[in-house]
Amino acid sequence: MNSAIIVAAGKGTRMGPGVDKLFLEVAGRPVLAHTWQRFNDASCIDDLVIVVRDGMQTVFQELAAQFKFTKPFQLVSGGVERQDSVWNGLAALPATTEIVAIQDAARPCTSERLIADTIAAAREMGAAVAGQPVTDTIKETADGKTISRNVDRTRLWSMQTPQTFRVDVIRRAFAEMRRRGLAVTDDTAACELIGQPVRLVAGATANPKVTLPGDLIVIEALLRSASLVGSA
Ligand code: CTP
Ligand code: MG
């Protein structure tokens, strides 16, 4: 059985004060409703765990009813950092789950094809992540003002979600991370701690995250584009 954990318990600080970025409307519905819809409709996913901030459970229940999401889901409380929210989601997975796809709620353009491709790769390899080769020229700076070093772009990929794992693998990786008291910004970083290789899976369509106010206009266009509609 394949489950998804959608992490939706962040504060959206970089979007600015007083807004919950997951509930901003884009292409006719809240960001979160796009993401949830894709996992609701994906035939490769059997059930969902949605990780939310305390006190938000009712709002999420109402959203599921409004958009008629039919796939079984559980709501779980999030933690202070994203990794704590993932940890709580992992604890709530059904005992029958073999593969888990971990998804940012703030990433509404993820296609069913990409979800399925990461699941296939994780089944084979233990761990897989959606990503893209970096296209911009990248420089390193020591002081935030001047370039200190050129970085070879050909070896760099930017990471997205889903990040997909055999459940035993991600549980072991997260247990090790917590035992060592480390912080990670993505789930695959925990795999490094147990020497678990992670397969890179490039999507055919753009899969950006809603982070800053300017992101919405691009994401609106992507969600409305025919290519994305066709790839769901
Ligand atoms: N997330 C979470 N629990 C946290 C932090 C983040 O579930 N404690 C989720 C967010 O809701 C989001 C995803 O992880 O769907 C990716 O995180 P990010 O884009 O960084 O969102 P926020 O942490 O909410 O935003 P910011 O970093 O700007 O505060
Ligand atoms: Mg964050």
Side-chain angles (χ1 to χ4, degrees), residues 32-81:
L32 166 72
H34 288 283
T35 315
W36 195 334
Q37 183 84 58
R38 285 180 182 277
F39 281 79
N40 182 73
D41 295 351
S43 58
C44 55
I45 295 291
D46 298 300
D47 74 309
L48 305 172
V49 172
I50 321 266
V51 187
V52 306
R53 290 198 310 278
D54 274 336
M56 292 294 282
Q57 278 81 354
T58 310
V59 179
F60 278 69
Q61 291 282 4
E62 284 168 4
L63 187 116
Q66 182 188 349
F67 291 98
K68 301 187 171 55
F69 295 140
T70 49
K71 192 162 283 177
F73 70 90
Q74 305 176 61
L75 297 178
V76 169
S77 288
V80 177
E81 302 296 339

Side-chain angles (χ1 to χ4, degrees), residues 9-20:
K11 293 202 179 83
T13 324
R14 286 170 288 177
M15 186 56 73
V19 286
D20 186 335

